[in-house]
Every structure is written in structure tokens, then in C-alpha cells.
Amino acid sequence: MTGFRRWGKSKFENNPESSFKLLAAVLVIILYLVIKEFSNPTVHIRTPTYGAKIQFSDWKNGTGRADKEKAEKVRDAMKYTFEKYKQNAWGQDDILPVSGNYSSTRNGWGAFIVDSATTLALMGLWDELILSVQHILAVDFTKSEDLVDPFETTIRYLGGLVSLVDLYDAGVIPEEAITKETRDRILEQAVILANTLGPAYDTPTGMPWPRVDLSKSKGTADPPSVYIGHPDRKQYDQPAIGPARTGSSILENRALSRLTGDSIYTKNSTLAWSSIVWSRWTPAYPGLVDAPIDIKTGAPVGRERSWDAGHDSYYEYLLKITLLAPPSDPYLDTYKATFIRAVDSLRKSLGTRSAPAPNHAMQHSYIGHSNDKWYLNRQSHLACFAPGTILLASKSYDKPDFKTFALALLEGCRHAYNSTPSRIGPETWSWVPKFGYSDPVYMPTTKRAKHEWQQSGIWSSDPQYKGRPEYVESLFYAYRITGESRFREWAWEAFEAMEKNCKAPYGYAQLADVYRVEPGQWSGAGTDRWIDMQESFWAAETLKYLWLTFEESDVANLDRWVFTTEGHPLRVMR
Ligand SMILES: *[C@@H]1O[C@H](CO)[C@@H](O)[C@H](O)[C@H]1NC(C)=O
Ligand SMILES: *[C@@H]1O[C@H](CO)[C@@H](O)[C@H](O)[C@H]1NC(C)=O
Ligand SMILES: *[C@@H]1O[C@H](CO)[C@@H](O)[C@H](O)[C@H]1NC(C)=O
């Protein structure tokens, strides 16, 4: 296990004067703990119980059985996605679904193949999986002309590889598709990749560099282009990063340590987020990280707080590590308490209810951001992961109030989907908070924004749909945890909308504007209807979560699997 330096032996041990100081210090600490206990009793955990049953099991009248027809439709979408990629872009990172060209912005290792293999495995698409594994074994993960992003590489590539091994070990993948020898070679590839990312963790705090330069085996800052428009972040030698970058590697690495018996992966990924979990700086809102954070000192250099882009998966991993790690892990109580504080702060300080609009009387719950002393009444699609994660916690930590909060947020995400003509939610939207903010930072000012707000109580600030999974991911958790069939219905509505609006000649395109869906609203070539991109998470997550929602509820059962932030299932071994 990781040993933090400050828990080492005191160098004053044999000095009487120091012993007195030590005694005084101990008394102060005891007093502090007593005060803390009485001022904040809910956060203190007496008898930690990890490994509670998570999935709903009291299914009535076969409601937990597969809806074969709908599951098959989603599987067909996966087959189409795979086939078009295979024919036109095999080995490239991603296909461009409108033109049929390709992009290679993820180091050219075939991101689509590695990221989507676990979806193929769960869906039982064995021919496609065999082909993918051949590619995976041939990749040289030690070479890339471009800088490597440890965050994206860990969640898309490393997570995909480690999860494949877990799926084989659990008997999900039959011997005819992957042999034991192939399984071992996939694990070797995972080890090579994880070791290649090693230099990322070589900083004074252990927080990762934003990039790794493979030609020099050294961590480095973001490419300069990232700093354009961010004058406050131009300290090139002293990069500052958000909690998601530093706190989203522990699940993948912990599983890799379990599979290899080498604790270095757990050690480095634990140290990577220790600066924020055990922060020496007092945050404005308990449990919520002030970001960005200087990777060399661990000090916050900004005051942004959210559960949105750049922050999201840190909170997700705080919870999920308590489901994945063995209960003997000494830090689980801290992770649990930190997560609970973060949800309480999210609800109290970032969550708001919308005021009614002229043509829409209903109120909905959303989560905004905080920056310094400002509350920003804007949410992005990414933050729709929160309901699913908080629902998991409601079950695992036995917190009914979390369930109420999570379902309110999920309803807010559904409203964002339902209020557009495409029936797909925009990338970002705003609302007028009902309480507490008489002068919100964002107000509908353009004619379009005013119209959207009048009709639905929200208006989009970025009307794109990028093929993102978070809403259907939360629906998957909601269905599996509550057992209520309405969540299947909502998922089906979302899938039908994606099928109708995103299906393109070479895959599933992103939408330029979820409010503009009628032919005649875009040009003949469709260039302003679609964005010519299909990120690998479309296959790794969006289609996987949709399919799982309609499949037998015992497939990838949440009592036995924990999904990484990229949708790769890891085994719970307790
Ligand atoms: C059970 O399911 C069947 C078929 O879906 C339906 O016709 C029937 O009404 C259901 N019974 C109950 C008690 O819900
Ligand atoms: C296809 O993409 C490649 C790599 O980005 C680029 O060099 C090439 O010009 C593109 N071809 C077309 C026809 O757009
Ligand atoms: C672990 O971190 C050290 C820096 O502390 C680094 O040199 C090493 O390469 C890392 N190893 C792995 C496997 O991440």
C-alpha cells in the first residue's frame, strides 16, 4: 500500500521536550475530533459496510427480463457502427461518419477498436471481437508521434484492455473468441501501456503531467494551443489541472495491480489524487475541489467548482473505488466521507431549481458551477452522469435522500432532452434559478434564447449533440437500481432520437444543432446538420449503456461489476 511521508516516524521521538509537545498535539487533535464529531455527525462513519447489494432484485411479472426486440435494435446500431469503421477506417483512431474519412488524434493506436471491444464482448459480437483483438495485440503502445494524454489514454485504452481481461476471466468471453494465451497477451499490452504512461506521475506531488512525450519518456505540459484564451493558465512549466485529470486513473490501475500482482499502479494512481483527497487547503464548499490545481505544489490556482467538465469523473471515482477496492483498503472510509460531503455540497451549493417560464410552468432541478464568488447557472450534458453515480451511492451507502436528489437531477436531464425538436439534449443549457439568485450570471438575451426559454424554461448555450452517453448511462443505473420500467421507456425515446437524427452514411454523426432537425433547416449536403465526428465513446458507452438497459438485468450485474468512466466493466472481487 501507499505510505504517505507524513505518517512516518517522528524524528523527535527521544527528546522529552518534544514528547510534551507531542502530548499537547495529541490533546488538540482529540479535542478537534470531538468538536468535529458533534458539529458534523453525518459524515463520521462508525461501521463501514462495503459491498451492499446494488441492483434491484424484486422484479415482478418478468420486468427484469430482456426486451429482446429493443436490445437487438441497439445491437444492430453497434454492428452498423463497427462495419462502417471496418470498411473505411480500420486501424485509424476514429472514422468521420459523414465523409467516410478518418481522424487520428488519439495517438493512432486505433482508439475505436480498443475502446469498443468491451461493447462487442458484452453484445457477443465474436467475429468483430476476434478481429479487434488481432489489432490490439499488434499495436506498439511505446511509440507515438504525438504527445500522449495520460487521462484520455487511461480511460479509453488502458481501461478497455484491463476490462477485456476481466471479461475473459469472468467467463463472459468464450475460449473460441479469446484463448488463455491471447488473454495473457492482452494483459501484457496493458502493462506496456501503463508503464509507458509512468513518467506522467513523475512530479513532486504525484499529480500527473497533462501530457507524456514518449520520445523522451518525460511528462510535459499541454501543447501551447490549450493556453490560447486562458491567460491565467500560461505557466507552461507549472501546469495546473482539474480534478478529473488527476482523479480518474485509480479504477483502471487498481484492477491492473490485482491482475498483475504489481502494486505500483495502485500506488501511483493513489498518490495522483492524494493532493485533492487529502488537500491541505480548505475548500469553500466541503468536499468540492477548488480548481485548477498546480501539479507541482497541489495548491489550487483557481476557484472553479463543479461536477461538470474537468471535475466530473473525480467524484465518480471517489464513489466507485469504494465499490471496487477490497474492504481492507485503509482509505475507503475517507473516500466515502469525501464523496458524501461532495454530494451534500453539490445539492446545497450548486444544485438549483428552475423558475417557471411563460409557456412552461414546471420546475426542474439542474446543477450549475461556482467560480470564485459567482454561481454560474449553466449545466452541460457531461454532468448528467451525476444522477447515475449518486444513485449508486444511495444504494451502496443506504442514503435514501441521495436517491431523491439523483432522480430529480435525472428528470432535469430528461427535460433537456424532451424540450428540443430532436428529442436530444444540447451540450450546454441554462435556466433562471427560482430561489437565491435575483441577478443570475446567464440570462436569455438573444431572440432565439428567449424563445427557447419561454417554451421550456431552459435555453441552450451550445446546441450541439456530441454522441455523449451520460444521460443514457444514468438511465441504465436508474433502471437497474430502482427497477422502474419508465427508465427503459426514456432510454428507448433517446435511442430512437439518435437513430433518426445521427445515423449518417459512415456511422453516427454528431449534431450541429439539436433544435434544427427538419430537412430544409440545413443545406443539401447536410454539412450544417451534422458534425463529421464520431468519438469512440459512442460505441464504448452510449450504445453499451443503451443495450444493457434492454438486456437481461443479470448481464453486467452491478453487484459484480463497476464501470469505469469510459464504460468499461471491472470485476468486483470481494
Ligand atoms: C404481466 O405482464 C403481462 C404481459 O406484459 C400483462 O398482460 C399483465 O397485465 C401483467 N400483469 C400484472 C399483474 O402486471
Ligand atoms: C482525410 O483525412 C486525412 C487525415 O486527416 C487528410 O490528410 C486527407 O486530406 C483527408 N481526405 C479528404 C478527402 O478529406
Ligand atoms: C510511478 O511513478 C514514478 C514517479 O513517482 C514513475 O517514475 C514511474 O514510471 C511510475 N510507474 C508507473 C507504472 O506508473
Side-chain angles (χ1 to χ4, degrees), residues 312-343:
D312 41 11
S313 43
Y314 159 65
Y315 299 108
E316 181 184 352
Y317 276 30
L318 267 183
L319 167 81
K320 288 182 173 176
I321 192 64
T322 68
L323 308 180
L324 189 80
S328 59
D329 184 318
Y331 308 133
L332 295 193
D333 292 356
T334 304
Y335 298 151
K336 177 174 174 178
T338 310
F339 179 84
I340 290 175
R341 265 188 233 113
V343 175

CSV table of all heavy atoms in Angstrom, one decimal, residues 312-343:
chain,number,residue,atom,x,y,z
A,312,ASP,N,-15.8,16.1,-13.2
A,312,ASP,CA,-16.8,15.1,-13.1
A,312,ASP,C,-16.3,13.7,-12.6
A,312,ASP,O,-16.7,13.2,-11.6
A,312,ASP,CB,-17.5,14.9,-14.5
A,312,ASP,CG,-16.6,15.0,-15.7
A,312,ASP,OD1,-15.3,15.0,-15.5
A,312,ASP,OD2,-17.1,15.1,-16.8
A,313,SER,N,-15.3,13.1,-13.3
A,313,SER,CA,-15.0,11.7,-13.0
A,313,SER,C,-14.2,11.5,-11.7
A,313,SER,O,-14.1,10.4,-11.2
A,313,SER,CB,-14.3,11.0,-14.2
A,313,SER,OG,-13.4,11.8,-14.8
A,314,TYR,N,-13.6,12.6,-11.2
A,314,TYR,CA,-13.0,12.5,-9.9
A,314,TYR,C,-14.1,12.1,-8.8
A,314,TYR,O,-13.9,11.2,-8.0
A,314,TYR,CB,-12.4,13.8,-9.5
A,314,TYR,CG,-12.2,14.0,-8.0
A,314,TYR,CD1,-11.3,13.1,-7.3
A,314,TYR,CD2,-12.8,15.0,-7.2
A,314,TYR,CE1,-11.1,13.3,-5.9
A,314,TYR,CE2,-12.7,15.1,-5.9
A,314,TYR,CZ,-11.8,14.2,-5.2
A,314,TYR,OH,-11.7,14.4,-3.8
A,315,TYR,N,-15.3,12.8,-8.9
A,315,TYR,CA,-16.3,12.4,-7.9
A,315,TYR,C,-16.8,11.0,-8.2
A,315,TYR,O,-17.1,10.2,-7.3
A,315,TYR,CB,-17.4,13.5,-8.0
A,315,TYR,CG,-16.9,14.8,-7.6
A,315,TYR,CD1,-16.7,15.8,-8.5
A,315,TYR,CD2,-16.5,15.1,-6.3
A,315,TYR,CE1,-16.2,17.1,-8.2
A,315,TYR,CE2,-16.0,16.3,-5.9
A,315,TYR,CZ,-15.9,17.3,-6.9
A,315,TYR,OH,-15.3,18.5,-6.5
A,316,GLU,N,-17.0,10.7,-9.5
A,316,GLU,CA,-17.4,9.3,-9.9
A,316,GLU,C,-16.5,8.3,-9.3
A,316,GLU,O,-16.9,7.3,-8.7
A,316,GLU,CB,-17.4,9.3,-11.4
A,316,GLU,CG,-17.9,8.0,-12.0
A,316,GLU,CD,-17.8,8.0,-13.5
A,316,GLU,OE1,-17.5,9.0,-14.1
A,316,GLU,OE2,-17.9,6.9,-14.1
A,317,TYR,N,-15.1,8.5,-9.4
A,317,TYR,CA,-14.2,7.5,-8.9
A,317,TYR,C,-14.1,7.4,-7.4
A,317,TYR,O,-13.8,6.4,-6.8
A,317,TYR,CB,-12.8,7.8,-9.6
A,317,TYR,CG,-12.7,7.2,-10.9
A,317,TYR,CD1,-13.8,7.0,-11.7
A,317,TYR,CD2,-11.5,6.7,-11.5
A,317,TYR,CE1,-13.8,6.5,-13.0
A,317,TYR,CE2,-11.4,6.1,-12.7
A,317,TYR,CZ,-12.6,6.0,-13.5
A,317,TYR,OH,-12.5,5.4,-14.7
A,318,LEU,N,-14.4,8.6,-6.7
A,318,LEU,CA,-14.4,8.5,-5.2
A,318,LEU,C,-15.4,7.5,-4.8
A,318,LEU,O,-15.1,6.7,-3.8
A,318,LEU,CB,-14.8,9.9,-4.7
A,318,LEU,CG,-13.8,10.9,-4.3
A,318,LEU,CD1,-14.5,12.1,-3.8
A,318,LEU,CD2,-12.7,10.4,-3.4
A,319,LEU,N,-16.6,7.5,-5.4
A,319,LEU,CA,-17.6,6.5,-5.0
A,319,LEU,C,-17.2,5.1,-5.5
A,319,LEU,O,-17.2,4.1,-4.8
A,319,LEU,CB,-18.9,6.9,-5.6
A,319,LEU,CG,-19.9,5.7,-5.5
A,319,LEU,CD1,-20.5,5.7,-4.1
A,319,LEU,CD2,-20.9,5.7,-6.6
A,320,LYS,N,-16.8,5.0,-6.8
A,320,LYS,CA,-16.7,3.7,-7.4
A,320,LYS,C,-15.5,2.9,-6.8
A,320,LYS,O,-15.5,1.7,-6.8
A,320,LYS,CB,-16.6,3.8,-8.9
A,320,LYS,CG,-17.9,4.2,-9.5
A,320,LYS,CD,-17.9,4.3,-11.0
A,320,LYS,CE,-19.3,4.5,-11.6
A,320,LYS,NZ,-19.2,4.6,-13.1
A,321,ILE,N,-14.5,3.6,-6.3
A,321,ILE,CA,-13.3,2.9,-5.8
A,321,ILE,C,-13.8,2.2,-4.5
A,321,ILE,O,-13.3,1.1,-4.1
A,321,ILE,CB,-12.1,3.8,-5.5
A,321,ILE,CG1,-10.9,3.0,-5.2
A,321,ILE,CG2,-12.4,4.8,-4.4
A,321,ILE,CD1,-10.4,2.1,-6.3
A,322,THR,N,-14.8,2.7,-3.8
A,322,THR,CA,-15.3,2.0,-2.6
A,322,THR,C,-16.1,0.8,-2.9
A,322,THR,O,-16.3,-0.1,-2.1
A,322,THR,CB,-16.1,3.0,-1.7
A,322,THR,OG1,-17.4,3.3,-2.3
A,322,THR,CG2,-15.4,4.2,-1.3
A,323,LEU,N,-16.5,0.7,-4.2
A,323,LEU,CA,-17.2,-0.5,-4.6
A,323,LEU,C,-16.2,-1.5,-5.1
A,323,LEU,O,-16.5,-2.7,-5.1
A,323,LEU,CB,-18.2,-0.2,-5.7
A,323,LEU,CG,-19.2,0.9,-5.5
A,323,LEU,CD1,-20.2,1.1,-6.7
A,323,LEU,CD2,-20.1,0.6,-4.2
A,324,LEU,N,-15.1,-1.0,-5.7
A,324,LEU,CA,-14.2,-1.9,-6.4
A,324,LEU,C,-13.1,-2.5,-5.5
A,324,LEU,O,-12.7,-3.6,-5.5
A,324,LEU,CB,-13.5,-1.2,-7.6
A,324,LEU,CG,-12.7,-2.1,-8.5
A,324,LEU,CD1,-13.6,-2.9,-9.4
A,324,LEU,CD2,-11.7,-1.3,-9.3
A,325,ALA,N,-12.5,-1.6,-4.6
A,325,ALA,CA,-11.3,-2.0,-3.8
A,325,ALA,C,-11.7,-3.0,-2.7
A,325,ALA,O,-12.9,-3.0,-2.3
A,325,ALA,CB,-10.7,-0.7,-3.2
A,326,PRO,N,-10.8,-3.8,-2.3
A,326,PRO,CA,-11.1,-4.7,-1.2
A,326,PRO,C,-11.5,-3.9,0.0
A,326,PRO,O,-10.9,-2.9,0.3
A,326,PRO,CB,-9.9,-5.5,-1.0
A,326,PRO,CG,-8.8,-5.0,-2.0
A,326,PRO,CD,-9.5,-4.0,-2.8
A,327,PRO,N,-12.4,-4.4,0.8
A,327,PRO,CA,-12.8,-3.6,2.0
A,327,PRO,C,-11.7,-3.4,3.0
A,327,PRO,O,-11.8,-2.5,3.8
A,327,PRO,CB,-13.9,-4.6,2.7
A,327,PRO,CG,-14.3,-5.5,1.6
A,327,PRO,CD,-13.2,-5.6,0.7
A,328,SER,N,-10.6,-4.1,2.9
A,328,SER,CA,-9.5,-3.9,3.8
A,328,SER,C,-8.7,-2.6,3.4
A,328,SER,O,-7.8,-2.2,4.2
A,328,SER,CB,-8.5,-5.1,3.7
A,328,SER,OG,-8.1,-5.2,2.4
A,329,ASP,N,-9.0,-2.0,2.3
A,329,ASP,CA,-8.2,-0.8,1.9
A,329,ASP,C,-8.4,0.3,3.0
A,329,ASP,O,-9.6,0.6,3.3
A,329,ASP,CB,-8.8,-0.3,0.5
A,329,ASP,CG,-8.1,0.9,0.0
A,329,ASP,OD1,-7.8,1.8,0.8
A,329,ASP,OD2,-7.8,1.0,-1.2
A,330,PRO,N,-7.3,0.8,3.5
A,330,PRO,CA,-7.5,1.7,4.7
A,330,PRO,C,-8.1,3.1,4.3
A,330,PRO,O,-8.4,3.8,5.2
A,330,PRO,CB,-6.0,1.9,5.1
A,330,PRO,CG,-5.2,1.6,4.0
A,330,PRO,CD,-5.9,0.5,3.2
A,331,TYR,N,-8.2,3.4,3.0
A,331,TYR,CA,-8.6,4.7,2.7
A,331,TYR,C,-10.1,4.8,2.3
A,331,TYR,O,-10.6,5.9,2.0
A,331,TYR,CB,-7.8,5.3,1.5
A,331,TYR,CG,-6.3,5.2,1.7
A,331,TYR,CD1,-5.5,4.7,0.7
A,331,TYR,CD2,-5.8,5.7,2.9
A,331,TYR,CE1,-4.1,4.7,0.9
A,331,TYR,CE2,-4.4,5.6,3.1
A,331,TYR,CZ,-3.6,5.1,2.1
A,331,TYR,OH,-2.2,5.0,2.3
A,332,LEU,N,-10.8,3.7,2.3
A,332,LEU,CA,-12.2,3.7,1.8
A,332,LEU,C,-13.1,4.6,2.6
A,332,LEU,O,-13.9,5.2,2.1
A,332,LEU,CB,-12.7,2.2,1.8
A,332,LEU,CG,-12.1,1.3,0.8
A,332,LEU,CD1,-12.9,0.0,0.6
A,332,LEU,CD2,-11.8,1.9,-0.5
A,333,ASP,N,-12.8,4.6,4.0
A,333,ASP,CA,-13.7,5.5,4.8
A,333,ASP,C,-13.5,6.9,4.4
A,333,ASP,O,-14.5,7.7,4.4
A,333,ASP,CB,-13.3,5.3,6.3
A,333,ASP,CG,-13.7,3.9,6.8
A,333,ASP,OD1,-14.3,3.2,6.0
A,333,ASP,OD2,-13.4,3.6,8.0
A,334,THR,N,-12.3,7.3,4.1
A,334,THR,CA,-12.0,8.7,3.7
A,334,THR,C,-12.7,9.0,2.4
A,334,THR,O,-13.3,10.0,2.2
A,334,THR,CB,-10.5,8.9,3.5
A,334,THR,OG1,-9.9,8.6,4.8
A,334,THR,CG2,-10.2,10.4,3.2
A,335,TYR,N,-12.6,8.1,1.4
A,335,TYR,CA,-13.2,8.3,0.1
A,335,TYR,C,-14.7,8.4,0.3
A,335,TYR,O,-15.3,9.3,-0.3
A,335,TYR,CB,-12.9,7.1,-0.8
A,335,TYR,CG,-11.4,6.9,-1.2
A,335,TYR,CD1,-10.9,5.6,-1.5
A,335,TYR,CD2,-10.6,8.0,-1.2
A,335,TYR,CE1,-9.6,5.5,-1.8
A,335,TYR,CE2,-9.2,7.8,-1.5
A,335,TYR,CZ,-8.7,6.5,-1.8
A,335,TYR,OH,-7.4,6.3,-2.1
A,336,LYS,N,-15.3,7.5,1.1
A,336,LYS,CA,-16.7,7.6,1.3
A,336,LYS,C,-17.2,8.9,1.9
A,336,LYS,O,-18.1,9.5,1.4
A,336,LYS,CB,-17.2,6.4,2.2
A,336,LYS,CG,-18.6,6.4,2.5
A,336,LYS,CD,-19.0,5.1,3.3
A,336,LYS,CE,-20.5,5.2,3.7
A,336,LYS,NZ,-20.9,3.9,4.4
A,337,ALA,N,-16.5,9.3,3.0
A,337,ALA,CA,-16.8,10.5,3.7
A,337,ALA,C,-16.7,11.7,2.7
A,337,ALA,O,-17.5,12.7,2.7
A,337,ALA,CB,-16.0,10.7,4.9
A,338,THR,N,-15.6,11.7,1.9
A,338,THR,CA,-15.4,12.8,1.0
A,338,THR,C,-16.5,12.9,-0.1
A,338,THR,O,-17.0,14.0,-0.4
A,338,THR,CB,-14.0,12.7,0.3
A,338,THR,OG1,-13.0,12.5,1.3
A,338,THR,CG2,-13.6,13.9,-0.5
A,339,PHE,N,-16.9,11.7,-0.6
A,339,PHE,CA,-17.9,11.7,-1.6
A,339,PHE,C,-19.2,12.2,-1.0
A,339,PHE,O,-19.9,13.0,-1.6
A,339,PHE,CB,-18.1,10.2,-2.1
A,339,PHE,CG,-19.2,10.1,-3.1
A,339,PHE,CD1,-19.0,10.4,-4.5
A,339,PHE,CD2,-20.5,9.8,-2.7
A,339,PHE,CE1,-20.0,10.3,-5.4
A,339,PHE,CE2,-21.5,9.7,-3.7
A,339,PHE,CZ,-21.2,10.0,-5.0
A,340,ILE,N,-19.6,11.8,0.2
A,340,ILE,CA,-20.8,12.2,0.8
A,340,ILE,C,-20.9,13.7,1.0
A,340,ILE,O,-21.8,14.4,0.7
A,340,ILE,CB,-21.1,11.4,2.1
A,340,ILE,CG1,-21.4,10.0,1.8
A,340,ILE,CG2,-22.2,12.0,3.0
A,340,ILE,CD1,-21.5,9.0,3.0
A,341,ARG,N,-19.7,14.2,1.5
A,341,ARG,CA,-19.6,15.7,1.6
A,341,ARG,C,-19.8,16.4,0.3
A,341,ARG,O,-20.5,17.4,0.1
A,341,ARG,CB,-18.2,16.1,2.2
A,341,ARG,CG,-18.2,16.2,3.6
A,341,ARG,CD,-16.8,16.8,4.0
A,341,ARG,NE,-16.3,16.0,5.1
A,341,ARG,CZ,-15.2,15.2,5.0
A,341,ARG,NH1,-14.5,15.2,3.8
A,341,ARG,NH2,-14.8,14.5,5.9
A,342,ALA,N,-19.2,15.8,-0.8
A,342,ALA,CA,-19.3,16.4,-2.1
A,342,ALA,C,-20.7,16.4,-2.6
A,342,ALA,O,-21.1,17.4,-3.3
A,342,ALA,CB,-18.3,15.7,-3.1
A,343,VAL,N,-21.5,15.4,-2.3
A,343,VAL,CA,-22.9,15.3,-2.8
A,343,VAL,C,-23.7,16.3,-2.0
A,343,VAL,O,-24.5,17.1,-2.6
A,343,VAL,CB,-23.5,13.9,-2.6
A,343,VAL,CG1,-25.0,13.9,-3.0
A,343,VAL,CG2,-22.7,12.9,-3.5
